[in-house]
Amino acid sequence: MRLPERRTDPESVVAHLGPTNSGKTHDALRFLVENVAGSGGAGRGIYAAPLRMLAQEAHRRLASELGEERVGLVTGEERVNAEAPIVCCTAEMAPSRGETLVLDEVQWAEDEERGSAWTRLMLGGEYRHILLLGAVEALPLVRHAFPDAEIRFFERKAPLDWAGRRGIAGLGAGTVVVAFSRRAVIGLAGELNQLHPGRVACLYGAMPVASRREEIDRFLAGRAEVCAATDVLGHGVNLPCETLLFAETAKFDGKERRELLPWEIAQIAGRAGRFGFHERGHVGVLTGLPWADPDPGLVRDALTPHVRIEDGRFGYRVVDTGRLRPQLSDLNVRSVDELEPALHAWRHAALRFWSVDGWLTVESIQPLLARLDTVRDALHHSRRQLELADVWRLMQAPIDEDGLQLLGTLAAALAGDRPQRTVIGWILDPHRLDAAGLEEAEQAAREASILRWFALQYPGVAGVTIERAAALEEAAARRVVRELRAEIDDPTIGRCRACGARTAPWATLCDRCFMARGYRSGRR
């Protein structure tokens, strides 16, 4: 087992640890500017974030200060001025060496499916200066990776106050209400729109990045008074609000519906009271909706950290693990058929090897195996083959499970299958969205993101170019905003399909119609 390692130790390693809205990112970007741009551009400064939207936000901030020619943006889906002195990127796209590295949200190193990008940079990134940003909970992780790192603790600049129960009819401007599913948020936005006509913003994970940006800008500019959002707020959407209310305190996590964990609540609640916008933040729960039954005690208790970390500090959990997954060079394979057994063998060996060093563990290989199966099946059905390097590259595609079908199509097209190239041509056509509904437009945006990634790997192959993929993404984003506005203005979500009465967003019939249909079915 080979661990990433650096040949030269960094001259400085500093960690900025603290909660949301504590100024740690602001100070880190100042450090990046002074150490790279301020020295005439010598070397390379990198800001690495967990999400494309965070990288874009840092790029906008720095470009407005230094000029667009001095700052680049590199993600899985885009390349803008990639040779600039300062580059903002997602963690997976960060180069292995440079002058200064600002690694944001360092606690993502423990993420089961993406943690390896952070761990590899911490173990092997060749930089003169390394600045780590994260929650206080990541202190044990930082000390595992850099025992001699300088630790600087940050405190919130705008205190959080408990706001208690707030009725839906009395919400003031600058309020964000949080629920935990796409349907719940859109249904909630429809309810809010009855009280704030045309003045409601909406944010959820399936929205295209451009659509999110438009909704955020509406809220920031005051064109939207209130916002309904999912926990996307806790994952990189910097939306300043004065009051944040929980409409729900339970969520479906992919396996079961469970209560929110304290750290999940705190991460979202921390968006209230953005420094420079508000003197204090207020956090509470929403009342006045029959289907919303949040637990006030759960939210109130989560506003105070209660888990002892180190140095007398308290947080919400202990983050002391970094995950790794293999690179192709680690597997010692020569053919595609050897990949699956090699991945399993590497995982078993790594678990044994790292059991001695308790801070390292194995990132899940299931996403890699799912992509490998998809690519092999597509090649089998099209009776085509790809080189090992191409198959491995396709396995690194930034996709979720719902993008696997398109990945198979791209694999077959790359191998020369003409029918699949025809399919891709249809997918790239923005006009297919002229009459698309909301979910279809969301799906098209996800497909556009994958196609942008593919165009960067294989420019022009199967007719896929950055320009065509970007045009599809823009058309999908416009359609999402249009359909979302129509849904909020005249909601079908949260309304009974039979009689139009209000119901829970996840239900299609009200209790009365459901019982009536069940009675009629029983009589038959």
Side-chain angles (χ1 to χ4, degrees):
M1 300 302 303
R2 293 176 300 200
L3 289 174
E5 57 181 350
R6 56 177 55 88
R7 293 183 296 273
T8 305
D9 289 335
E11 292 181 12
S12 68
V13 179
V14 180
H16 288 185
L17 302 181
T20 302
N21 197 16
S22 59
K24 58 184 186 292
T25 303
H26 174 272
D27 285 9
L29 293 180
R30 298 312 315 155
F31 179 84
L32 190 61
V33 168
E34 292 164 5
N35 279 270
V36 180
S39 60
R44 170 66 66 84
I46 298 295
Y47 168 78
L51 299 171
R52 178 185 177 192
M53 195 165 183
L54 275 179
Q56 290 176 336
E57 182 175 320
H59 175 257
R60 279 194 299 272
R61 288 172 59 180
L62 293 174
S64 66
E65 176 183 353
L66 303 174
E68 293 185 358
E69 73 283 355
R70 306 279 295 163
V71 187
L73 175 67
V74 176
T75 70
E77 298 84 4
E78 57 208 326
R79 304 282 190 281
V80 177
N81 198 19
E83 300 304 317
I86 294 179
V87 172
C88 303
C89 61
T90 45
E92 285 85 353
M93 305 306 296
S96 59
R97 57 179 50 85
E99 176 74 13
T100 302
L101 170 67
V102 174
L103 185 58
D104 204 354
E105 303 289 359
V106 69
Q107 65 270 12
W108 275 63
E110 74 160 6
D111 186 77
E112 187 178 5
E113 296 185 1
R114 291 184 60 201
S116 183
W118 282 261
T119 305
R120 285 188 176 277
L121 286 169
M122 287 193 289
L123 286 176
E126 296 274 356
Y127 288 86
R128 281 184 60 198
H129 305 287
I130 296 177
L131 185 51
L132 308 172
L133 310 181
V136 174
E137 290 88 341
L139 178 58
L141 170 68
V142 170
R143 287 203 164 132
H144 281 311
F146 299 102
D148 298 323
E150 178 186 351
I151 310 296
R152 299 177 186 172
F153 294 104
F154 286 66
E155 304 295 336
R156 273 190 64 92
K157 293 182 177 295
L160 286 179
D161 293 335
W162 170 242
R165 295 175 171 85
R166 294 284 182 89
I168 190 171
L171 302 186
T175 299
V176 174
V177 186
V178 181
F180 293 93
S181 73
R182 173 187 175 280
R183 291 188 65 86
V185 163
I186 296 176
L188 177 59
E191 298 286 354
L192 291 170
N193 195 61
Q194 303 296 314
L195 302 164
H196 305 265
R199 312 275 291 179
V200 179
C202 188
L203 292 167
Y204 54 90
M207 293 179 73
V209 171
S211 302
R212 291 190 209 177
R213 186 76 259 161
E214 182 166 339
E215 292 297 285
I216 290 171
D217 288 345
R218 287 181 65 237
F219 189 78
L220 292 178
R223 296 193 304 274
E225 295 176 342
V226 296
C227 177
T230 64
D231 50 352
V232 70
L233 283 181
H235 298 285
V237 174
N238 290 323
L239 184 69
C241 64
E242 182 176 11
T243 300
L244 187 142
L245 303 175
F246 287 82
E248 297 181 292
T249 49
K251 64 182 286 189
F252 181 72
D253 63 5
K255 298 178 181 178
E256 61 181 355
R257 186 167 176 83
R258 60 166 176 80
E259 286 188 339
L260 296 173
L261 300 174
W263 71 265
E264 293 173 320
I265 294 174
Q267 189 174 48
I268 298 165
R271 298 300 176 188
R274 181 79 173 271
F275 182 69
F277 289 85
H278 313 103
E279 292 184 2
R280 309 183 75 84
H282 300 90
V283 179
V285 296
L286 183 74
T287 62
L289 286 179
W291 56 267
D293 187 26
D295 182 344
L298 199 66
V299 176
R300 184 179 59 248
D301 292 346
L303 298 183
T304 303
H306 58 279
V307 176
R308 186 179 295 276
I309 311 296
E310 293 179 10
D311 297 346
R313 300 281 170 172
F314 286 84
Y316 292 92
R317 54 178 176 154
V318 175
V319 178
D320 58 0
T321 300
R323 293 183 182 267
L324 277 172
R325 74 176 180 185
Q327 297 179 327
L328 184 58
S329 58
D330 296 326
L331 298 178
N332 193 29
V333 297
R334 297 182 179 180
S335 71
V336 175
D337 290 340
E338 294 176 331
L339 273 175
E340 183 173 356
L343 283 168
H344 285 292
W346 184 92
R347 179 179 184 276
H348 291 315
L351 287 172
R352 291 196 304 271
F353 182 73
W354 292 333
S355 63
V356 179
D357 191 346
W359 83 277
L360 291 175
T361 189
V362 179
E363 187 178 287
S364 173
I365 63 171
Q366 289 308 311
L368 288 176
L369 293 174
R371 294 168 197 167
L372 174 59
D373 285 344
T374 296
V375 172
R376 288 190 303 191
D377 288 347
L379 295 175
H380 173 74
H381 288 304
S382 63
R383 298 183 180 181
R384 303 278 177 168
Q385 291 184 331
L386 285 174
E387 296 294 327
L388 174 64
D390 288 324
V391 171
W392 182 259
R393 186 178 296 178
L394 290 168
M395 290 167 60
Q396 312 309 309
I399 61 170
D400 297 322
E401 288 184 6
D402 62 359
L404 291 178
Q405 182 176 352
L406 177 55
L407 182 65
T409 299
L410 292 170
L414 178 62
D417 187 60
R418 289 190 175 276
Q420 296 306 317
R421 295 187 176 203
T422 302
V423 172
I424 291 172
W426 176 81
I427 293 173
L428 280 166
D429 184 4
H431 294 296
R432 69 184 177 90
L433 302 177
D434 288 347
L438 181 57
E439 292 188 26
E440 186 180 350
E442 292 167 355
Q443 176 64 25
R446 291 191 290 271
E447 291 167 344
S449 180
I450 298 169
L451 290 166
R452 288 182 68 131
W453 172 86
F454 184 80
L456 289 173
Q457 311 306 313
Y458 302 100
V461 171
V464 183
T465 64
I466 283 290
E467 292 76 17
R468 294 186 71 187
L472 176 64
E473 188 173 47
E474 290 168 7
R478 289 194 301 270
R479 192 71 194 181
V480 164
V481 170
R482 176 178 174 175
E483 291 299 303
L484 182 61
R485 294 266 70 80
E487 178 61 55
I488 292 173
D489 290 340
D490 188 15
T492 58
I493 295 176
R495 296 293 187 271
C496 175
R497 289 185 181 178
C499 70
R502 291 186 178 182
T503 187
W506 49 84
T508 57
L509 296 173
C510 66
D511 291 345
R512 180 177 177 181
C513 291
F514 179 79
M515 295 296 293
R517 288 194 177 192
Y519 174 73
R520 289 196 299 270
S521 175
R523 289 191 63 179
R524 282 196 295 268

